[in-house]
Amino acid sequence: MKLDVRLFAQARDLAGAEHVSVELPDSSTVADLREALAAQFPQLAPLSPNLLIAIGTDYASDETVLSPDADIACFPPVSGG
């Protein structure tokens, strides 16, 4: 399945794009997406383990199964005070 992924903040800057396409087998999980992003965009590899990945309006765990029509967004961890 082909997934459209929106990237924000440092993830967008490192990938050089706001939207990226990732090809994954059916029934892939968020963990599979992390690996694919790091492989397809090596500059994201250091950030990949800590990316916050949202499906629709909810953050997803690594075990969440993805669907081709999922609205996927990736955010780097946020710090502040």
Side-chain angles (χ1 to χ4, degrees):
M1 70 180 149
K2 183 177 178 180
L3 301 171
D4 181 44
V5 180
R6 288 183 296 151
L7 303 175
F8 292 88
Q10 187 181 10
R12 177 187 59 223
D13 296 342
L14 290 172
E18 185 175 336
H19 291 268
V20 295
S21 292
V22 178
E23 191 74 35
L24 289 173
D26 290 345
S27 300
S28 292
T29 64
V30 167
D32 298 323
L33 175 61
R34 285 183 195 284
E35 290 178 23
L37 284 170
Q40 190 170 333
F41 302 94
Q43 60 274 32
L44 288 178
L47 212 64
S48 179
N50 299 316
L51 281 175
L52 301 173
I53 297 180
I55 308 297
T57 59
D58 298 315
Y59 288 115
S61 70
D62 280 348
E63 296 79 26
T64 302
V65 176
L66 301 168
S67 65
D69 61 343
D71 181 23
I72 304 170
C74 295
F75 305 86
V78 179
S79 63

